[in-house]
Amino acid sequence: MQGYFFLTSPATKLLLKSTFEKGRNGANRISKNGGGNVERELAGGVKVEVVQGDVTAQEDVEAIVNAANARLESGGGVAGAIHDAAGPGLAEEARALAPISPGEAVVTSGHNLPNRYVIHALGPVYGQDHPEAELLADCYRNSLRIAEERRISSVAFPAISTGVFRYPKVEAAEVALRVVTEDAESLRSVRLVRFVLFGEEDSKVY
Ligand code: APR
């Protein structure tokens, strides 16, 4: 089941703090809806959503992001789910773009997925690829850059690197939220950024 969260985790507080601070200058706005959930509208009118669910079940977004491996092949977690749902055409198209390095992102079409595009980002392996935070931030930045280049209006991200690659979830959430907050003002095409967190435990992190 997909639902919206109360956004009170350390990472979310960080975002709210920066949102409120910018709000004083008129750049960002934040409001609570009737259910008590926080809707965040960042600089430039970019909407950020945090939902619990499966990244392959985001029919209403134009692009979903894959927590990929360097070879852009199927795998466990997100990569397995995306390749299963997209069908073999995805691996075939992606093969020509591989390998990619940590922090890099490339784009393919969505094949049998309901989304027009899949953006494949390779996160850092925690404790191995340095500097981790910068490489993880690059994944989000490069994915948003590709989205802008393709004139994509909505993007759904999983929590890159926080599974097999063992990046601590709170730290990873802080990086993700920071990049989106920083980049919001320069986004022209992207109007919606959705973070799709898998389990109930993950949902508490944002
Ligand atoms: N939708 C949303 N989130 C998911 C899904 C899904 N269908 N499946 C797993 N997750 C969550 C995990 O719980 C984790 O928090 O996404 C996060 C990222 O997990 P991974 O998919 O393991 O990605 P990552 O840590 O970046 O590792 C990438 O894993 O699958 C292999 O081939 C892949 O080598 C690559 C590595």
Side-chain angles (χ1 to χ4, degrees), residues 98-183:
I100 61 169
S101 1
E104 199 180 338
V106 293
V107 64
T108 64
S109 63
H111 296 268
N112 297 337
L113 281 158
N115 320 95
R116 187 160 177 212
Y117 296 105
V118 178
I119 297 170
H120 306 260
L122 176 61
V125 177
Y126 196 76
Q128 184 182 306
D129 297 320
H130 302 289
E132 287 116 340
E134 222 20 67
L135 292 169
L136 186 59
D138 285 345
C139 288
Y140 288 93
R141 267 188 223 116
N142 286 326
S143 297
L144 290 172
R145 180 183 48 75
I146 286 173
E148 285 288 302
E149 285 167 6
R150 297 284 171 132
R151 308 246 190 286
I152 290 167
S153 61
S154 47
V155 187
F157 284 97
I160 298 168
S161 280
T162 64
V164 173
F165 287 173
R166 301 185 311 275
Y167 206 113
K169 294 189 178 195
V170 171
E171 285 175 39
E174 285 172 357
V175 170
L177 292 167
R178 175 170 58 77
V179 170
V180 172
T181 306
E182 283 171 1
D183 284 8

Side-chain angles (χ1 to χ4, degrees), residues 53-56 67-69 71 73-81 123 158-166 169 196-199 202:
D54 185 329
V55 77
T56 64
N69 51 64
R71 300 168 313 284
E73 292 168 349
S74 184
V78 173
I160 298 168
S161 280
T162 64
V164 173
F165 287 173
R166 301 185 311 275
K169 294 189 178 195
V196 184
L197 292 318
F198 205 39
D202 293 2

